[in-house]
Amino acid sequence: MGFVLKHKQWQTGSQKTLEENMNPADANDKSTNLAESILNHAPPRKMCPHNTRISCASCRLNELCLPIALNKSEIHQLDEIVERNRPYKKGDHLYRQNDPFNSVYAVRAGSFKSYFLSDSGQGRVTGFFLPGEIIGMDGIASKHYANSLQALEHSSICEIPFSQLESLSHQLPNLQHHFFAIMGNEIAKDQQIHTLLSSYTAEQRMASFLLGLSSRYSRVALSPSRFLLPMTRGDIGEYLGLTVETVSRIMTSLQRKELISVANREIELLNLAGLRDIISHK
Amino acid sequence: MGFVLKHKQWQTGSQKTLEENMNPADANDKSTNLAESILNHAPPRKMCPHNTRISCASCRLNELCLPIALNKSEIHQLDEIVERNRPYKKGDHLYRQNDPFNSVYAVRAGSFKSYFLSDSGQGRVTGFFLPGEIIGMDGIASKHYANSLQALEHSSICEIPFSQLESLSHQLPNLQHHFFAIMGNEIAKDQQIHTLLSSYTAEQRMASFLLGLSSRYSRVALSPSRFLLPMTRGDIGEYLGLTVETVSRIMTSLQRKELISVANREIELLNLAGLRDIISHK
DNA sequence: CGCCTGGTTGAGAATCATCAACATCTGTGG
DNA sequence: CCACAGATGTTGATGATTCTCAACCAGGCG
């Protein structure tokens, strides 16, 4: 059966403070904010990990996000145009399908899903976004977002106004190059999903999906073998072109084969090689 | 049954000269080339439509391709970096999976398919490319092409070395903006295919595919309702995640419903609204 | 406590794949 | 120009994977 974890010591993007090496100025800002809220008779609350006064230079995701390949002064210029918004609660929308496109966003903590509603009303999840990943590039061409974007849990993001990103890219060849690369990566990733959806069985899709999450979590220094699924079985099904029931059945089947161990949203990948075998097997 | 066309007066990208408004200098080049080939005792051949001495400014696809939104002098600069290669025969490869990435390509005439071979050996078609469309963006991020690219018929392309495109984009904000838009468009398009593959029935996929081709052909001033399919049923099947047999069956079924009329590669869309209904129905 | 969302499991149905046979088209070499 | 071979396309019979419908369970939140 494989052992099942009972307690809540699971890692997710939002449960871990993402800016650990903050500078003293940031700490000061924080205590100031706290003092203010007390003065305003707001209910005293725990220190929120989603500090909005963080800089790109100190963000622990900067290896994944835009600043990679920028030097110190360039990062500072990027920092100037990034807006760190208020956190989003589970279910909040970052934007909706057809809203005018203004910005791309980098996930700082938590996770999001994108989904598309067709005229006939039925929706399909088109993507999941974890910390360090970029959201909103589907709106660049048409100037309107093609999907809606919703937080799957308490999450925070960095907003990057696109016109300013363009001007800055014009000044910084490294940034232009890197943003081309980020978009190219998105294109390559989408084509992999095309292959997955057009030729994989339900079991292969699930195995591929879980391994994908695994490697994305390990990129942000979380465990590649134990994590919480931020999305529902329904979300997974819509994303993979399967029904909820099939997703559920495959999960229990993978568990019976001792490849994974699941309990609700908690999942552990027990045999990565075995999962890979499922994908290549045929 | 709908009438079936018997003869070969069908339009494809390659059967129509794509550069009609060529300037006098180009015409001179052409006759010179012809004279040369006669002097060299080469077999006299028909005037080839794939003249390589064409400029972006005179190309009738320049409204679709990169030059859009560039002014005259900017187009000239773009022209400098574009290489117009020899034509490709049916089956020729433009590049193969894992080849080092150097350039993106614009289709000038004809058509191509991209396909991905997985480790297990089975391949899947990931895209089709018609005149005016850009090929190769899947290689930008990893510096290696993720797919192989093969000509479906006699075709010609413009090669745009990517590093030069980047430098030029750095000088010309319009070009940078436009290339971001082209990549954004590719991302949005890929996500539509995601929705198609994850939620459409076989019939909906075929209808959507045919309507997609229709609008892409009309973009290059070809008939939106009558065209030649440059790809095999097998290619279509791989692309849509169906088998050859299913593709064939759906085609005859659509024909019985008098929505289309097919004979081999010749296809006529008899009822566009009817095809759209299939997609939105339920 | 009870509701509602989310998740699991089972039985039957439907779509599409598989296997197989055959028809047709294309291009090549005699 | 014909004949042939290989690739491509069609059609039918059968079967498997996945969906649909339905019932039920668990957990979180007011």
Side-chain angles (χ1 to χ4, degrees):
Chain A
M1 260 288 179
F3 84 105
V4 172
L5 289 130
K6 292 289 175 206
H7 300 308
K8 307 263 165 166
Q9 295 170 330
W10 292 81
Q11 308 166 324
T12 76
S14 70
Q15 286 167 13
K16 203 167 177 184
T17 299
L18 289 171
E19 302 84 10
E20 283 152 349
N21 24 2
M22 57 184 65
N23 61 44
D26 292 325
N28 278 340
D29 277 337
K30 259 195 172 173
S31 49
T32 306
N33 288 341
L34 187 58
E36 274 172 12
S37 57
I38 290 169
L39 285 173
N40 293 335
H41 305 290
R45 48 185 176 194
K46 289 206 315 246
M47 201 66 128
C48 173
H50 308 289
N51 181 1
T52 60
R53 305 295 169 82
I54 276 305
S55 75
C56 288
S58 70
C59 177
R60 65 185 275 281
L61 294 173
N62 65 16
E63 295 279 303
L64 304 168
C65 181
L66 284 171
I68 191 176
L70 299 187
N71 67 33
K72 207 147 184 137
S73 95
E74 290 172 339
I75 289 183
H76 182 69
Q77 291 182 68
L78 176 62
D79 225 32
E80 292 288 303
I81 71 169
V82 172
E83 299 169 18
R84 292 168 185 85
N85 305 23
R86 71 175 200 294
Y88 290 80
K89 302 192 305 296
K90 176 178 179 175
D92 282 355
H93 276 82
L94 196 48
Y95 53 75
R96 286 168 194 275
Q97 202 166 326
N98 297 324
D99 280 357
F101 167 82
N102 288 308
S103 302
V104 296
Y105 303 85
V107 180
R108 215 138 53 85
S111 51
F112 293 81
K113 73 171 176 185
S114 61
Y115 64 94
F116 176 80
L117 284 172
S118 63
D119 317 320
S120 42
Q122 64 171 345
R124 282 275 144 175
V125 172
T126 53
F128 298 109
F129 298 87
L130 305 184
E133 301 178 343
I134 306 290
I135 290 174
M137 292 180 284
D138 56 302
I140 293 177
S142 70
K143 294 278 148 213
H144 291 266
Y145 294 108
N147 301 283
S148 299
L149 239 116
Q150 196 174 25
L152 293 171
E153 55 186 317
H154 201 80
S155 304
S156 63
I157 48 120
C158 295
E159 176 172 357
I160 306 151
F162 189 68
S163 60
Q164 295 186 49
L165 180 61
E166 277 193 307
S167 333
L168 192 58
S169 293
H170 182 57
Q171 295 166 45
L172 309 178
N174 288 339
L175 182 60
Q176 189 203 55
H177 180 83
H178 186 59
F179 199 68
F180 278 144
I182 284 182
M183 294 189 75
N185 192 45
E186 186 77 15
I187 291 171
K189 216 186 59 190
D190 286 347
Q191 291 185 354
Q192 285 179 19
I193 294 169
H194 185 139
T195 305
L196 179 147
L197 291 174
S198 67
S199 61
Y200 285 10
T201 65
E203 193 179 39
Q204 289 177 313
R205 294 181 199 191
M206 274 299 307
S208 174
F209 176 71
L210 293 175
L211 288 172
L213 279 186
S214 164
S215 72
R216 287 157 78 188
Y217 276 121
S218 75
R219 271 170 41 119
V220 284
L222 295 173
S223 165
S225 58
R226 291 168 59 172
F227 45 88
L228 278 179
L229 297 171
M231 70 293 282
T232 68
R233 305 288 193 269
D235 288 335
I236 297 175
E238 283 184 22
Y239 181 71
L240 296 177
L242 304 169
T243 58
V244 203
E245 295 94 328
T246 305
V247 171
S248 178
R249 277 186 253 269
I250 303 275
M251 287 242 189
T252 56
S253 140
L254 290 176
Q255 178 153 279
R256 256 193 289 275
K257 295 181 190 172
E258 309 211 349
L259 294 172
I260 66 175
S261 160
V262 254
N264 300 324
R265 302 292 183 86
E266 305 167 359
I267 189 163
E268 176 164 20
L269 310 187
L270 301 172
N271 182 350
L272 296 185
L275 290 171
R276 282 190 211 98
D277 282 349
I278 287 181
I279 297 173
S280 52
H281 216 298
K282 149 58 204 248
Chain B
M1 260 286 178
F3 84 105
V4 173
L5 289 130
K6 292 290 175 204
H7 301 307
K8 306 263 163 166
Q9 295 171 332
W10 291 81
Q11 308 167 322
T12 77
S14 70
Q15 288 168 10
K16 203 168 176 184
T17 299
L18 287 171
E19 302 83 12
E20 284 153 348
N21 25 1
M22 56 184 64
N23 61 43
D26 292 324
N28 278 340
D29 278 336
K30 257 195 174 173
S31 48
T32 306
N33 289 340
L34 186 59
E36 275 172 12
S37 56
I38 290 169
L39 285 173
N40 294 335
H41 307 289
R45 47 185 176 195
K46 289 206 315 245
M47 201 68 126
C48 173
H50 307 291
N51 181 1
T52 60
R53 305 294 170 80
I54 276 306
S55 73
C56 287
S58 70
C59 176
R60 64 185 275 282
L61 294 173
N62 66 15
E63 295 280 303
L64 304 169
C65 180
L66 284 172
I68 191 176
L70 300 188
N71 66 34
K72 206 142 184 140
S73 95
E74 291 171 338
I75 289 183
H76 182 70
Q77 292 183 66
L78 176 63
D79 225 31
E80 293 288 305
I81 70 170
V82 172
E83 299 169 18
R84 291 169 185 86
N85 305 24
R86 71 175 200 294
Y88 290 79
K89 302 193 306 294
K90 177 178 177 175
D92 283 354
H93 276 83
L94 197 48
Y95 52 77
R96 287 167 192 275
Q97 203 166 327
N98 297 326
D99 280 358
F101 168 82
N102 287 309
S103 303
V104 296
Y105 302 85
V107 179
R108 213 139 52 84
S111 50
F112 292 82
K113 74 171 175 185
S114 61
Y115 64 94
F116 176 81
L117 284 172
S118 62
D119 317 320
S120 42
Q122 63 170 346
R124 282 276 145 174
V125 172
T126 53
F128 298 109
F129 298 87
L130 304 184
E133 301 178 344
I134 306 291
I135 290 174
M137 291 180 283
D138 55 303
I140 292 176
S142 70
K143 295 277 149 213
H144 291 266
Y145 295 107
N147 301 282
S148 300
L149 239 117
Q150 196 175 27
L152 293 171
E153 56 187 316
H154 202 81
S155 304
S156 63
I157 49 118
C158 296
E159 176 173 356
I160 306 151
F162 189 69
S163 60
Q164 295 186 50
L165 180 60
E166 276 192 308
S167 336
L168 191 58
S169 293
H170 181 58
Q171 296 166 46
L172 308 178
N174 288 338
L175 182 59
Q176 187 203 57
H177 180 84
H178 187 58
F179 199 68
F180 278 144
I182 283 182
M183 294 188 74
N185 192 46
E186 186 77 15
I187 290 170
K189 216 185 60 191
D190 286 346
Q191 291 185 354
Q192 285 179 20
I193 294 168
H194 185 140
T195 304
L196 179 147
L197 291 173
S198 67
S199 62
Y200 284 11
T201 65
E203 192 179 39
Q204 289 177 313
R205 293 180 200 191
M206 275 299 307
S208 174
F209 177 70
L210 293 175
L211 288 172
L213 279 185
S214 164
S215 72
R216 288 157 78 188
Y217 277 121
S218 74
R219 271 170 41 122
V220 285
L222 296 173
S223 166
S225 57
R226 291 168 59 171
F227 44 88
L228 280 179
L229 298 171
M231 69 294 281
T232 68
R233 305 286 193 271
D235 289 335
I236 298 175
E238 283 183 22
Y239 180 71
L240 296 177
L242 304 169
T243 57
V244 203
E245 295 95 327
T246 305
V247 171
S248 178
R249 277 187 251 270
I250 303 273
M251 287 243 190
T252 56
S253 139
L254 290 176
Q255 179 153 277
R256 256 194 288 277
K257 295 183 189 171
E258 311 211 347
L259 294 172
I260 68 175
S261 161
V262 255
N264 301 323
R265 303 290 183 87
E266 305 166 0
I267 190 162
E268 177 165 18
L269 309 187
L270 300 171
N271 183 350
L272 296 185
L275 290 170
R276 283 189 210 98
D277 282 349
I278 287 180
I279 298 173
S280 52
H281 215 297
K282 150 58 203 267

